[in-house]
Amino acid sequence: MQIKFVRLSPNAEPPTRGTPGAAGLDLCACLSEPVVIEPGKAETIPLGFAAEIPSGYGGFVLSRSGIGSRGIVVAQGVGLIDSDYRGEWCVPLRNLGEEPHTVSPGDRVAQVVFMRAEAGEFIEVESMWELSKTSRGERGFGSTGN
């Protein structure tokens, strides 16, 4: 899949794969100076580019395992970039650690994976009896064990 992008800053780095088999493409900070993320705080990190994700797909922004294991994660868990978004890509990062973390210009801060994203449409029915039956039924959190 090809993703068109435009640099909004001369310092922007295009997303790249770390290895040929990598599912995600690394996203790099486009900063003029380092940003410190204090413990328990979040900072939005600009990436310096805009892109066109093909219709029917979404860009799912995930934490990188290296910095994620040290407590620097995508602030909302998983970010989603819709196919019709054309603004600058940014990544909100949260510091779950106990020490300040410095993000420097060009640092790999997250990764993006492109997946099919079907647009669902909710159709209201009159009763629970109109929903199909399953072996799980209404059992929710923890219903299958831990």
Side-chain angles (χ1 to χ4, degrees), residues 6 25 30 37 42 45 48 52 54 57 61 65 67 69 80-81 88 92 102 104 110-111 114 117 130 134 141 143-144:
V6 60
L25 287 89
C30 184
I37 307 173
I45 306 298
E52 179 181 331
Y57 287 84
V61 180
S65 59
I67 63 173
S69 66
L80 172 61
I81 302 169
E88 180 178 10
T102 301
S104 296
Q111 58 186 322
F114 299 100
E130 294 182 63
T134 69
F141 299 108
S143 66
T144 60

Side-chain angles (χ1 to χ4, degrees), residues 58-84:
F60 293 81
V61 180
L62 310 167
S63 300
R64 293 189 67 250
S65 59
I67 63 173
S69 66
R70 297 191 307 270
I72 307 304
V73 298
V74 173
Q76 69 270 44
V78 174
L80 172 61
I81 302 169
D82 296 312
S83 65
D84 59 352

Side-chain angles (χ1 to χ4, degrees), residues 39-118:
K41 301 295 184 187
E43 295 287 342
T44 298
I45 306 298
L47 303 180
F49 69 88
E52 179 181 331
I53 298 171
S55 181
Y57 287 84
F60 293 81
V61 180
L62 310 167
S63 300
R64 293 189 67 250
S65 59
I67 63 173
S69 66
R70 297 191 307 270
I72 307 304
V73 298
V74 173
Q76 69 270 44
V78 174
L80 172 61
I81 302 169
D82 296 312
S83 65
D84 59 352
Y85 177 66
R86 295 295 183 272
E88 180 178 10
W89 286 25
C90 297
V91 177
L93 292 178
R94 181 170 305 283
N95 184 349
L96 301 177
E98 297 178 5
E99 299 293 327
H101 177 81
T102 301
V103 178
S104 296
D107 280 358
R108 294 176 297 159
V109 294
Q111 58 186 322
V112 64
V113 174
F114 299 100
M115 294 185 272
R116 299 267 313 132
E118 289 290 325

